[in-house]
Amino acid sequence: MITSLQNPLVKQMRKLHSAKQRSQQGVFLLEGTHLLEEAYAAQYPVECVCCTSQWQENHQQLWQQLHRSGSRVEIVTPEVLQAIATTINPDGVVATATRQQGREVPHIGISLALETLQDPGNLGTIIRTAAAAGASGLWLSADSVDLDNPKVLRASAGQWFRLPMVVSQDLRQTILQCQAAGMQAIATLPTAKMTYWEVDWRVPSLILLGNEGAGLSADLAAMTDLQVQIPLCAGVESLNVGIAAALLLYEARRQLNSI
């Protein structure tokens, strides 16, 4: 059992609270039983698992599965687990997983391109919604919140492991590639004449969504094939970006299901 906060493994895992360290080490944190179960179900490689003896007793099946999968598994004290976790009340387990490359997003169906998204809760919610609505995947601009930020993973409710996602170093180039593959690029703008339900979503489509405060940049908006609005009642300035994504994704699903 690991009891000391000075243990090398504990020190290394605590460093993963930092985006810089996650990038340098190529490893990120998984916090909580549900995320660990989802990672295992998706066959996502889990590197190391730290849990309390109480958690081990309560989750014997998952414990055995992790052992068989080759993950390093360590029993730690509740105090050590609290130090490793980023949450205030961890549920008894924190793990690490290796960053993977090559989760390519196909140029089919309905996909998302997110520009300069800053709130991890918003990104996690969009990932969860996109997976639920059957989206093909998601591109995220490099200046957005870290894709494997612990809050992003928690807000995704485990769907992080199921949705193809890529950090785009050049979102403009990504849009051009999608258009060249036959996808229509669609932006939501308050000044647009067309409403989002007037779009033919049966055509492969790329939905562009921008920063929570500034919205989509003018240069990316200018690249789109269609610009649509989400009608709002008087006095309401805008919608949360996660809600906007959900409305468009589910209108697309409604149309596709009616074929």
Side-chain angles (χ1 to χ4, degrees), residues 76-93:
V76 302
T77 63
E79 292 75 21
V80 167
L81 190 83
Q82 182 73 60
I84 293 171
T86 65
T87 50
I88 296 173
N89 296 304
D91 78 349
V93 65

Side-chain angles (χ1 to χ4, degrees), residues 3 10 39 42 51 57 75 145 165 191-192 197 205 218 223 241:
T3 61
V10 175
C51 67
E57 291 175 16
I75 303 295
V145 62
M165 296 178 290
T191 56
W197 58 75
S205 304
M223 295 178 65
V241 65

Side-chain angles (χ1 to χ4, degrees), residues 111-189:
S111 299
L112 294 158
L114 308 178
E115 181 191 27
T116 323
L117 214 66
Q118 296 301 304
D119 186 283
N122 282 338
L123 178 55
T125 297
I126 291 172
I127 292 169
R128 182 178 185 178
T129 305
S136 300
L138 177 153
W139 283 276
L140 182 70
S141 69
D143 58 351
S144 295
V145 62
D146 202 22
L147 190 58
D148 49 32
N149 181 297
K151 291 181 181 179
V152 172
L153 278 111
R154 291 198 300 274
S156 79
Q159 297 311 307
W160 191 97
F161 301 103
R162 303 181 186 280
L163 186 73
M165 296 178 290
V166 171
V167 175
S168 172
Q169 299 302 318
D170 185 347
L171 208 53
R172 181 182 177 87
Q173 189 61 33
T174 296
I175 295 166
L176 290 172
Q177 290 171 352
C178 290
Q179 289 172 319
M183 300 184 79
Q184 59 182 357
I186 301 171
T188 57
L189 294 175

